[in-house]
Amino acid sequence: MDNEPGPGVRPEKRQRDRLIELAASHPEWALGFEDETWWSRFEQPSLHTWGREPSRLVEQPVAKTDKDPKALACYGLLLRLREADGNPCERTWLRFVDGRPVSGITTQFLGWCCQKLEALGKAALLLVWDNASWHISKWVREWIREHNRRVKQEGRGVRILPCLLPKKAPWLNPIEPRWAHGKRRVAEPDGLLSAAELEGRVYDCFGCDQHDRLSIPDKAA
């Protein structure tokens, strides 16, 4: 179990721990830790190596003809669920986006995850995430409410049970260190990756299938 600094136990942490217990006792449910991050093509992560000669990450200049974005936003969901044979497993699902995380992109990502979970025979997603504005917006809350209502009426689909993490408590979300390790693994020490190359490396790093970027249609933007 993850440990939270401090003498007290926050209500949000108790709720998160309760979701973990529920997921463990319901094989048809999935526990998901969601977060977003930016993957930079220029800023290099901190690295530590053993050896006589230190490894150096060279800062790359930006060519005037380079039209790719300097950084790419990405949604991620770290899943803990049970396979059809009953064995527990972890999976990570990723989707890059055009632009930045917003409510309209968040609901697209949640809908996509629910479709994949339904294909795996799951009935509920116990969703743990932070208080980002695109998580707690009226748009997203109403979308989740309507989504769950539709699932109940139709008798099929995957319900979403969200759980908000305490503010400034990244240690409660196990996907956070995955981002840090991933950024070290995909770093190019002496060259500049294109946006497509960076995306490909990230998907390979997490063992995910590559998908088109999520975006808001021009008419709805």
Side-chain angles (χ1 to χ4, degrees):
M1 191 70 67
D2 302 306
N3 295 321
E4 179 184 6
V9 178
R10 299 282 294 273
E12 297 92 338
K13 183 178 186 299
R14 288 198 296 268
Q15 183 181 2
R16 186 209 65 159
D17 293 345
R18 176 58 178 157
L19 288 180
I20 294 176
E21 294 174 0
L22 284 172
S25 60
H26 291 76
E28 74 279 13
W29 293 1
L31 176 64
F33 298 91
E34 197 276 351
D35 193 36
E36 302 83 25
T37 193
W38 287 86
W39 298 84
S40 175
R41 298 174 52 228
F42 302 100
E43 293 185 9
Q44 299 284 17
S46 299
L47 295 178
H48 302 279
T49 59
W50 292 98
R52 295 184 178 181
E53 296 296 330
S55 298
R56 298 184 181 277
L57 298 178
V58 180
E59 183 177 355
Q60 301 298 320
V62 182
K64 294 182 178 180
T65 56
D66 191 332
K67 302 300 182 181
D68 281 353
K70 294 182 179 180
L72 303 173
C74 177
Y75 280 71
L77 183 69
L78 174 62
L79 283 165
R80 292 176 179 173
L81 44 76
R82 290 189 178 275
E83 299 278 16
D85 57 8
N87 292 322
C89 73
E90 281 193 352
R91 300 186 184 187
T92 303
W93 292 343
L94 303 179
R95 290 295 295 271
F96 280 88
V97 306
D98 285 325
R100 61 181 181 84
V102 294
S103 297
I105 296 293
T106 301
T107 54
Q108 287 185 46
F109 181 69
L110 292 179
W112 176 74
C113 290
C114 286
Q115 290 177 359
K116 290 174 65 68
L117 286 171
E118 184 179 7
L120 294 175
K122 302 304 176 183
L125 169 61
L126 310 186
L127 180 66
V128 181
W129 58 4
D130 61 26
N131 289 268
S133 61
W134 51 86
H135 295 165
I136 62 175
S137 68
K138 181 180 179 181
W139 176 300
V140 171
R141 288 185 284 110
E142 290 183 348
W143 184 91
I144 292 177
R145 189 180 303 114
E146 174 61 23
H147 170 84
N148 288 340
R149 184 192 65 81
R150 185 171 61 253
V151 169
K152 183 177 181 180
Q153 286 183 342
E154 297 177 357
R156 59 181 297 274
V158 176
R159 291 181 299 137
I160 300 174
L161 285 71
C163 171
L164 291 176
L165 292 170
K167 294 181 179 179
K168 299 180 180 180
W171 55 87
L172 294 179
N173 193 336
I175 200 174
E176 290 278 358
R178 309 292 178 96
W179 293 142
H181 292 310
K183 290 176 181 180
R184 296 188 184 105
R185 291 182 62 186
V186 304
E188 179 64 40
D190 56 0
L192 182 62
L193 298 174
S194 68
E197 290 171 333
L198 178 57
E199 284 188 43
R201 286 196 181 189
V202 173
Y203 280 117
D204 288 343
C205 173
F206 285 88
C208 302
D209 294 332
Q210 192 161 347
H211 298 275
D212 295 336
R213 296 180 191 173
L214 297 172
S215 62
I216 297 179
D218 294 337
K219 294 182 179 180

